[in-house]
Amino acid sequence: MSTKYLSHLGEQTKSIHAGEAPDPSTHASSPNLVMSTTFTVDATTGFSVEGMEENDAWVYTRWGNPTVHQLEEKLAALEESETAVAFASGMAAITALLFHLLKAGDHAVVSDVAYAALSEITNEMIPDLSVSVTKVNTSDIGAVRAALQENTKLVYIETPCNPLLRLSDIAELAAITHSAGAKLAVDSTFATPVATKPLQLGADFVIHSLTKYLGGHGDALGGAILGYKADLTPLRKKTSIRLGGSLSPFNAWLILRGLATFPIRMRVHEENAFKVADYLENHPKIKRVIYPGLPSHPQYELAKRQMKNFSGIITFQIENGVLEAQKLADKLQIIHYAVSLGHQRTLIFYLNSKDLLKTSFKFSTPEQSDSWNTFAGDGIFRLSVGLEDAEDLIADLRQALED
Ligand code: PLP
């Protein structure tokens, strides 16, 4: 079903139907998996992607593929964007966006706390290309405004940000970014389109690691950029096709399958996260719990305004985090001690402030350190609450937290 007929439908209906139609030759109801890397074409077909048009026949899978296209259509319907470009991972999507938008002599404002690999490439690789980068706490509008320069082309945020769950106000940032003639990109991996639609709030680009909630099952890496055709048609040619970080059709097919239950899963992630957060907030050993759905979150008012679903990620602090991390890794029976998030399975991981500040977030102002300390102290456990029965998760945490 074409995306344009779906705008009035609910999110769960879109998750099932958008981008998909019965296969015209077999009448198969589920999406076909087309693994072919090449397609037979007419002898008049050109070899350059330069002349490629939106509805041209399939030529070569790096240029476009029917299964990947179905996924892109479904993502665009869910995010209510004009179009989407899928990539091999969230990081492939992010690097494509940075390479596409930033040229030598340009400047970018980037969140001082964000997914570690983004922080690391904007500390070193992007400045090595003669693009200057200013890192700021993007929840502080004044700090972002002060960082904007005449040559600023991009403001890049994550909300809620990994790993702090600190929020940034998309609508306010879009207004000041546009008044400086720059574009706003929002990594909305933690929020997902069920919670927040950054394009409706004025953002120019939305980024998702499909590896997380959208795929939802911890078995396929993927990424996507969503936005306007005027931006993403050239971006597809210059980055996905030429740099080659294209998504495997097999992963696209797995992610499509995961997306069929996406809004239902997000409801359960949130429901379970509330129960687990409530248990942790009342545990005598736990110093602090951060969850955007709790009134104790420092930006609860913004969370209520900007998020229709508070998602499933909680952070919490315990005295002697390093020791407790070892204990949890040894004793947890249902919850996996592992990186990543947004899977059906509950995952927990300890993030030590000292290590992260040294390797990824190299703060330059006392305000940046203060904000980090408010949310993370010496270190935080990042708990990605899955879809198991909440009572079982709480019982597992209870036995593992016992002395
Ligand atoms: N953005 C966020 C917010 C993430 O948490 C991650 C990974 O954890 C990424 C991007 C990178 O995604 P991927 O692992 O799919 O490359």
Side-chain angles (χ1 to χ4, degrees):
M1 195 187 281
S2 159
T3 304
K4 62 177 180 289
Y5 299 115
L6 284 159
S7 51
H8 64 291
L9 296 175
E11 276 181 322
Q12 187 53 52
T13 310
K14 287 184 199 170
S15 287
I16 293 171
H17 290 279
E20 296 182 18
D23 176 64
S25 56
T26 62
H27 301 273
S29 156
S30 293
N32 274 352
L33 169 56
V34 179
M35 286 300 289
S36 187
T37 55
T38 193
F39 298 82
T40 54
V41 291
D42 195 89
T44 57
T45 305
F47 195 62
S48 166
V49 295
E50 217 42 75
M52 198 177 87
E53 300 287 342
E54 195 178 341
N55 293 317
D56 279 359
W58 307 112
V59 178
Y60 187 59
T61 277
R62 180 156 42 74
W63 300 16
N65 169 284
T67 309
V68 176
H69 180 69
Q70 290 188 41
L71 172 65
E72 291 172 339
E73 290 272 292
K74 196 184 290 293
L75 292 170
L78 287 168
E79 196 63 77
E80 295 177 20
S81 68
E82 278 183 13
T83 191
V85 185
F87 289 87
S89 67
M91 278 314 300
I94 292 168
T95 48
L97 186 77
L98 299 178
F99 266 84
H100 182 63
L101 290 180
L102 300 170
K103 311 276 175 285
D106 289 344
H107 171 251
V109 177
V110 176
S111 175
D112 62 352
V113 177
Y115 177 57
L118 174 272
S119 294
E120 289 155 17
I121 60 170
T122 49
N123 284 343
E124 283 158 26
M125 291 170 73
I126 299 297
D128 284 351
L129 300 173
S130 301
V131 172
S132 57
V133 174
T134 307
K135 298 281 183 98
V136 297
N137 171 0
T138 55
S139 52
D140 178 349
I141 298 292
V144 176
R145 194 179 281 114
L148 293 167
Q149 303 177 4
E150 225 166 61
N151 56 344
T152 305
K153 293 286 165 14
L154 174 68
V155 173
Y156 187 101
I157 66 169
E158 264 179 30
T159 181
C161 77
N162 187 357
L164 293 185
L165 305 182
R166 194 174 66 191
L167 310 182
S168 294
D169 188 323
I170 298 169
E172 276 202 66
L173 286 170
I176 65 165
T177 301
H178 293 154
S179 66
K183 303 257 189 191
L184 177 67
V186 179
D187 183 330
S188 194
T189 297
F190 276 37
T192 85
V194 161
T196 308
K197 292 194 172 50
L199 298 170
Q200 320 262 308
L201 297 171
D204 302 283
F205 299 97
V206 179
I207 290 155
H208 287 290
S209 165
L210 306 176
T211 320
K212 310 298 185 307
Y213 286 110
L214 291 163
H217 294 77
D219 51 13
L221 284 174
I225 307 177
L226 297 105
Y228 296 93
K229 283 186 180 170
D231 294 316
L232 293 189
T233 302
L235 181 146
R236 180 191 293 280
K237 288 182 188 170
K238 293 199 172 127
T239 64
S240 168
I241 297 176
R242 290 191 175 129
L243 297 182
S246 341
L247 182 66
S248 156
F250 184 56
N251 280 17
W253 184 79
L254 285 170
I255 296 165
L256 272 170
R257 191 177 146 120
L259 275 171
T261 54
F262 161 63
I264 293 174
R265 286 189 283 107
M266 292 314 296
R267 282 205 287 279
V268 179
H269 280 297
E270 184 195 53
E271 198 181 294
N272 278 356
F274 267 117
K275 290 184 186 163
V276 173
D278 181 55
Y279 167 73
L280 292 171
E281 266 206 328
N282 291 299
H283 194 290
K285 246 187 171 176
I286 311 284
K287 287 200 316 197
R288 176 119 202 236
V289 178
I290 303 257
Y291 178 60
L294 291 179
S296 56
H297 188 287
Q299 297 162 293
Y300 181 56
E301 291 308 315
L302 174 58
K304 281 194 293 184
R305 202 165 69 238
Q306 199 167 269
M307 299 179 77
K308 278 206 315 210
N309 170 293
F310 296 115
S311 202
I313 303 160
I314 299 170
T315 68
F316 62 93
Q317 298 166 28
I318 317 185
E319 208 70 63
N320 292 325
V322 179
L323 285 177
E324 291 291 334
Q326 188 56 55
K327 246 178 62 194
L328 289 180
D330 293 342
K331 290 176 72 178
L332 285 168
Q333 289 169 2
I334 293 171
I335 299 171
H336 285 186
Y337 190 89
V339 296
S340 205
L341 51 105
H343 302 175
Q344 83 277 34
R345 222 170 260 107
T346 299
L347 307 173
I348 194 166
F349 199 76
Y350 183 64
L351 299 148
N352 187 330
S353 292
K354 210 161 76 207
D355 294 348
L356 271 178
L357 297 190
K358 199 162 77 196
T359 56
S360 307
F361 315 125
K362 300 175 176 178
F363 297 142
S364 51
T365 68
E367 290 78 23
Q368 291 178 329
S369 306
D370 288 349
S371 178
W372 175 275
N373 290 335
T374 305
F375 281 82
D378 296 338
I380 38 173
F381 287 88
R382 186 184 61 203
L383 178 62
S384 169
V385 181
L387 304 176
E388 302 93 335
D389 294 298
E391 297 67 32
D392 294 331
L393 298 175
I394 291 168
D396 201 21
L397 286 165
R398 182 180 296 118
Q399 64 80 24
L401 286 167
E402 256 169 33
D403 285 320

